[in-house]
Amino acid sequence: MRILATTLAIGFTLKVAAQAQADPSYYDYSYSAKADYTYTKNPVQPEPLTVPCFTAGEFHLDAISLYADVQGDSLEDGAGGGIGASYFFTEMFGVMGRAYWWDTDSVITSITASAVLRAPIQSVCLAPYVYGGLGGHFNSENQIGGHLGAGLEFRMTERLGIFSDFTYTWADKTDDWGMYTLGLRLAF
């Protein structure tokens, strides 16, 4: 009987040692007062790596496509594109600058500066945001305008995102307009 017990104990020990070498995280080795060690088949799961999608100190470069919807007859509706850059001092507050152009009866070039407030939802890498500021709008009528906007950004990776927003601009010399944008964002 002692030989059988000893043989089983040696066999069990060799089996456990072989499996532990194959996958050291497979067994949970815990100390017990009744025996030297107890072995259970409870795999030790590694902690998931969580990298926040939106952080303080982010710098962004944007490529923008747009459609402008003019609220009167002084300008035609039109489509265009642009570029942008932004910097976030905190996870929620930043500044943004954009330069864009759109084709109506004449090409309008706009340069804007905005303060941005975003509310990141880190678990799904979404960030709704609002912004407002001033801009210069240049064509046959050079003018200054104020604007407010809101949008949503989705980060596909830590550094690459897509965004869409709507901006309403109050112009001082022509009719006001709304602008729909869709863009690609690189975060650094």
Side-chain angles (χ1 to χ4, degrees):
M1 189 56 115
R2 285 179 127 183
I3 294 173
L4 180 61
T6 304
T7 305
L8 290 174
I10 291 171
F12 178 75
T13 303
L14 291 174
K15 180 181 183 234
V16 168
Q19 285 183 335
Q21 280 184 335
D23 183 9
S25 67
Y26 187 74
Y27 287 100
D28 178 19
Y29 303 100
S30 56
Y31 184 74
S32 171
K34 294 180 181 176
D36 289 339
Y37 287 95
T38 57
Y39 302 98
T40 58
K41 285 190 175 187
N42 293 330
V44 178
Q45 297 296 324
E47 289 294 320
L49 179 62
T50 56
V51 176
C53 301
F54 304 95
T55 61
E58 282 185 345
F59 175 72
H60 305 149
L61 292 176
D62 300 338
I64 303 166
S65 63
L66 64 90
Y67 179 77
D69 181 17
V70 179
Q71 303 302 307
D73 295 331
S74 63
L75 298 170
E76 299 285 324
D77 297 350
I83 56 173
S86 55
Y87 181 79
F88 278 83
F89 301 102
T90 69
E91 186 179 295
M92 298 180 72
F93 177 74
V95 292
M96 172 174 64
R98 287 183 175 173
Y100 47 82
W101 53 96
W102 44 288
D103 191 12
T104 63
D105 47 346
S106 64
V107 174
I108 295 179
T109 303
S110 297
I111 298 172
T112 63
S114 308
V116 184
L117 183 62
R118 70 179 176 191
I121 306 167
Q122 299 285 6
S123 61
V124 291
C125 293
L126 279 176
Y129 58 92
V130 295
Y131 57 95
L134 297 172
H137 311 284
F138 312 101
N139 65 346
S140 58
E141 286 285 334
N142 296 338
Q143 58 188 328
I144 295 175
H147 61 269
L148 291 175
L152 184 65
E153 178 183 358
F154 172 67
R155 287 282 172 89
M156 298 176 289
T157 70
E158 183 182 351
R159 302 278 182 227
L160 182 64
I162 57 173
F163 67 93
S164 181
D165 55 46
F166 175 79
T167 307
Y168 193 85
T169 300
W170 292 272
D172 68 341
K173 296 180 182 174
T174 62
D175 293 320
D176 302 339
W177 63 83
M179 188 173 296
Y180 303 93
T181 63
L182 178 64
L184 186 64
R185 177 164 289 153
L186 294 174
F188 300 96

